[in-house]
Amino acid sequence: MLVLLPLLPTSARADFIANNNAIHSGPCSKKAANRVVTLEIDPKPVRHMKELTFRVTMSPDDGMPAVLLLDLSMPGMVMGRNQLKMARKSDGSWEGKGVIVRCMSGGNLWKATIISPELGNPGFTFNVRN
Ligand SMILES: [Cu+2]
C-alpha cells in the first residue's frame, strides 16, 4: 500500500494540510458547483473504530435529493468500500452514521466524498486520530 500524497503538486498538498485538522474542531466547508457544501463529523475529535455521525448541509439549498451517499476512502490506497447513506432531516441537513476502520498500514489520511455528480463529488480530507 502506497500513499500518493507526496506526489501531489504543492498547492494540492497545502490544501490537504489546511483541510486536515479543522474537522476535529468544527464543520468544514467547500465550494462545489454554485454551492457551499459543509461537512461536520461528531463526536470530535474524529477517531478510528468509533460510530461517527456525518452531517452535510448546503447553501443555497435548492431541493437536492432525499438521500446522499458518502464514500469513505484513503487517498492512494485501495481499501474496502465504505459508503454510507445520508438521509435528509427535517432541518434540511443530511445525516448518516458510519465507522472509519484503522488501516493496517498505519496511515490515517482519509477522504469523505459526497457522491453527487451535480456537485462534482466534493471531498474532504483529514487525518483520523487514534
Ligand atoms: Cu489504508
Side-chain angles (χ1 to χ4, degrees):
M1 286 193 265
L2 178 70
V3 177
L4 297 174
L5 187 58
L7 302 179
L8 291 172
T10 312
S11 59
R13 209 155 51 208
D15 188 39
F16 262 85
I17 293 161
N19 204 355
N20 264 349
N21 296 305
I23 201 80
H24 296 293
S25 50
C28 288
S29 295
K30 196 153 207 179
K31 272 202 114 168
N34 293 318
R35 296 183 186 82
V36 175
V37 179
T38 301
L39 173 70
E40 182 158 26
I41 308 175
D42 281 301
K44 299 178 185 68
V46 179
R47 297 188 189 281
H48 295 112
M49 310 307 288
K50 264 208 156 184
E51 189 181 66
L52 301 169
T53 300
F54 296 81
R55 192 165 172 272
V56 167
T57 51
M58 272 176 229
S59 171
D61 181 348
D62 47 9
M64 290 286 294
V67 175
L68 283 179
L69 263 188
L70 188 80
D71 179 83
L72 295 165
S73 64
M74 293 186 80
M77 261 195 230
V78 179
M79 301 289 289
R81 177 184 282 206
N82 187 355
Q83 291 188 336
L84 54 113
K85 276 188 187 157
M86 308 182 87
R88 188 106 200 219
K89 311 293 268 191
S90 53
D91 68 0
S93 67
W94 287 261
E95 212 175 277
K97 289 180 193 297
V99 170
I100 295 178
V101 297
R102 195 173 275 117
C103 180
M104 301 266 284
S105 76
N108 65 359
L109 184 68
W110 283 79
K111 184 174 186 180
T113 303
I114 298 162
I115 307 289
S116 168
E118 308 97 303
L119 293 176
N121 302 320
F124 298 82
T125 53
F126 47 92
N127 292 106
V128 178
R129 297 187 184 167
N130 283 316

